Amino acid sequence: MKIAKITATTVTTAALALGVAACGSSETPAASSPSAAASASASGPKYAGKQLTFWRLGDSNPKAQAYTDQLVAEFEKQTGAKVKVEWIPWPQVNDKFTAAAAGGTGPDVTEIGNDQVPLWQSQEALEPISDIVSAGDQTQIPKNLMGLETIDGETYAVPWGGGTRAVLYRADWFKELKIDVPKTWDELIAAAKKIQAKKGKDVDGFAFNGGSDANHLLGALAWTAGGDYAVKEGDKWVGKLTDPAFKAGFAQYTSLVTDGLSSKSRLTQNTIDIRTRFSNNKVGMYLTASWDLAAIDEESKGKLKGDKLAFFPLPSKDGGQAQAFLGGNDIAVWGSAKEKDAAKEFVKLASGKEWGDKYAAEGGLLPVYPDALAALASDPVQAPFAAAFAKAKAFPADPQWTEANETKAVLQNAARSVIEGKSSADDALAKADKELEDILNAS
């Protein structure tokens, strides 16, 4: 396996440097420059008769589907090529990418989580696209947003939209039960218990996430307590799971179940599972992003929307805002693409300012173009996400993180063993620490 050294600044630094954020935009995106449109149009005959496969990740909710249809229609109009879109649900993404990389198959263009770029680049599954970010609209994207995308001087994906997390809650329940928005962890726990007392024991007051994206919640609690998963010392990753600060965040995380705020019968639920229960009046609060709102509207048949729902920043134990996970989605050319030149044209169009800003707005993500970000900084509706984004942090920037986080589920297994009474927290974290080090240092 080829393991590459990540040479650019991390996404965490990008978040702090930008200092503004949200999860969507109400602005009308600026039009593409005439010269860019003319260039794409002129290349049309070259791609007539060609067909691309484009992987989009997640649920094909109405807004996301409409955006994709419009983007594809514009690309086909400009180039003469055809595009086949395939939607890959998030829980299946790792398996699909693994199979595609191993078999030399896959799409021509793919959406990809920014934290997965180092992994798939190390598998030689992504095509270098430095030429795209060195010309046109893409030169406006801050270079410090490309910390996970730029490896050994080459860029392998274009940032498409940023993401962070806040607590989604039933604002109508809070009003009915006279609950104030929590400002501390203890207030959050009290609110969760009051919801359960009034809405039933089968309702999760604050839902425990133990699935494939569990570390979005665990990481926020551990980072806020001053802990970290691992740090790089020279050429090696050194695990920090047994440090007192990480243990403190881990204890908060597992206490959501051991204190009865979330059921032991749902230890493996991920955000999608939680969202579905939320849509069916079985969850009072959970950590997520605003892109869940469209799916909740659909799953609840229009019953949950508008002022019935709201967000607040995850609070720290002693007050103030917890650190949030900073993620984002990119767009990339797959390494085994059959139509690489046409694929690059598609990525260039999709990640340009017009379609890039639209992607963020329609998907509930943070736009990567500075003017759109600046405009959102003063939007009061986006305040929880702006606050979370200002303190966001990324996972270890290593190709093996996906294996530790998703394939081996190192922390999820540790938490489960503690909650089920099979291990003490000290023993579970010591075992997880060694496993995490072994995975991150594998070559």
Side-chain angles (χ1 to χ4, degrees):
M1 179 186 297
K2 176 187 174 186
I3 301 297
K5 178 181 178 183
I6 299 175
T7 57
T9 182
T10 65
V11 174
T12 303
T13 305
L16 298 175
L18 287 168
V20 289
C23 285
S25 169
S26 59
E27 285 199 57
T28 302
S32 297
S33 65
S35 59
S39 175
S41 180
S43 66
K46 183 177 179 181
Y47 301 115
K50 303 289 186 182
Q51 177 166 306
L52 303 181
T53 298
F54 173 34
W55 280 2
R56 279 225 58 184
L57 311 184
D59 300 323
S60 57
N61 62 68
K63 284 189 174 182
Q65 186 65 60
Y67 166 82
T68 305
D69 290 346
Q70 292 163 12
L71 171 62
V72 165
E74 181 63 21
F75 177 76
E76 291 180 346
K77 175 184 175 183
Q78 290 188 16
T79 68
K82 297 296 182 183
V83 179
K84 177 184 178 184
V85 179
E86 296 180 12
W87 288 86
I88 314 297
W90 282 111
Q92 298 175 22
V93 168
N94 193 47
D95 288 343
K96 288 285 286 186
F97 277 26
T98 299
T105 58
D108 295 282
V109 177
T110 186
E111 189 173 17
I112 183 172
N114 63 351
D115 61 336
Q116 291 201 333
V117 172
L119 168 64
W120 298 112
Q121 185 277 338
S122 76
Q123 302 291 320
E124 300 182 344
L126 299 178
E127 181 74 7
I129 52 174
S130 299
D131 53 330
I132 291 177
V133 298
S134 63
D137 288 348
Q138 288 78 4
T139 61
Q140 300 174 42
I141 300 173
K143 293 292 184 278
N144 58 357
L145 271 183
M146 298 185 185
L148 293 171
E149 293 81 0
T150 303
I151 300 167
D152 290 341
E154 284 279 11
T155 300
Y156 291 86
V158 184
W160 212 9
T164 189
R165 305 293 186 272
V167 179
L168 177 61
Y169 70 102
R170 286 292 299 269
D172 55 340
W173 288 2
F174 273 49
K175 183 177 181 180
E176 173 193 342
L177 303 177
K178 296 180 171 55
I179 299 173
D180 293 329
V181 172
K183 297 294 193 299
T184 68
W185 182 255
D186 287 345
E187 289 177 2
L188 183 147
I189 298 303
K193 287 182 176 179
K194 190 168 187 178
I195 288 169
Q196 287 180 305
K198 298 297 183 180
K199 297 298 179 180
K201 291 184 178 180
D202 189 44
V203 172
D204 291 331
F206 188 100
F208 174 84
N209 184 334
S212 58
D213 51 356
N215 282 295
H216 295 164
L217 176 56
L218 172 56
L221 299 174
W223 290 325
T224 304
D228 210 341
Y229 290 88
V231 297
K232 201 73 175 286
E233 295 183 2
D235 295 347
K236 297 290 185 181
W237 286 98
V238 177
K240 296 295 181 181
L241 305 183
T242 60
D243 286 2
F246 191 93
K247 286 182 181 180
F250 184 80
Q252 276 183 272
Y253 173 67
T254 56
S255 71
L256 290 171
V257 181
T258 57
D259 287 351
L261 304 182
S262 194
S263 173
K264 281 187 179 180
S265 66
R266 292 183 285 275
L267 290 182
T268 60
Q269 65 183 353
N270 59 27
T271 299
I272 295 174
D273 302 322
I274 296 168
R275 184 199 72 206
T276 299
R277 283 178 49 76
F278 186 94
S279 299
N280 287 280
N281 303 310
K282 294 297 183 180
V283 173
M285 298 176 278
Y286 74 107
L287 192 71
T288 189
S290 66
W291 52 70
D292 268 6
L293 296 178
I296 290 168
D297 185 6
E298 186 175 0
E299 289 174 350
S300 70
K301 296 180 171 52
K303 294 177 182 178
L304 292 183
K305 59 183 178 180
D307 60 5
K308 291 185 177 182
L309 310 177
F311 287 91
F312 63 85
L314 184 70
S316 67
K317 196 167 183 63
D318 300 320
Q321 294 151 8
Q323 282 194 293
F325 158 72
L326 176 66
N329 293 342
D330 297 347
I331 186 167
V333 175
W334 195 247
S336 58
K338 297 179 179 64
E339 303 291 348
K340 288 184 179 178
D341 289 343
K344 285 186 176 184
E345 286 295 331
F346 187 89
V347 169
K348 188 184 300 183
L349 176 68
S351 64
K353 179 162 176 49
E354 177 182 2
W355 293 98
D357 283 352
K358 281 183 179 179
Y359 170 81
E362 297 303 318
L365 292 162
L366 313 175
V368 300
Y369 284 92
D371 60 341
L373 280 168
L376 290 170
S378 60
D379 184 346
V381 176
Q382 305 297 349
F385 294 99
F389 185 68
K391 302 189 86 172
K393 183 168 181 174
F395 296 130
D398 186 87
Q400 308 301 328
W401 171 253
T402 299
E403 181 179 358
N405 181 36
E406 297 178 25
T407 308
K408 297 291 181 61
V410 174
L411 274 304
Q412 293 94 320
N413 290 334
R416 200 170 302 136
S417 69
V418 172
I419 292 167
E420 293 175 341
K422 297 176 180 178
S423 177
S424 68
D426 285 347
D427 289 344
L429 287 174
K431 179 182 177 182
D433 200 53
K434 183 181 185 306
E435 189 175 4
L436 180 62
E437 280 188 354
D438 290 344
I439 292 171
L440 295 182
N441 290 317
S443 57

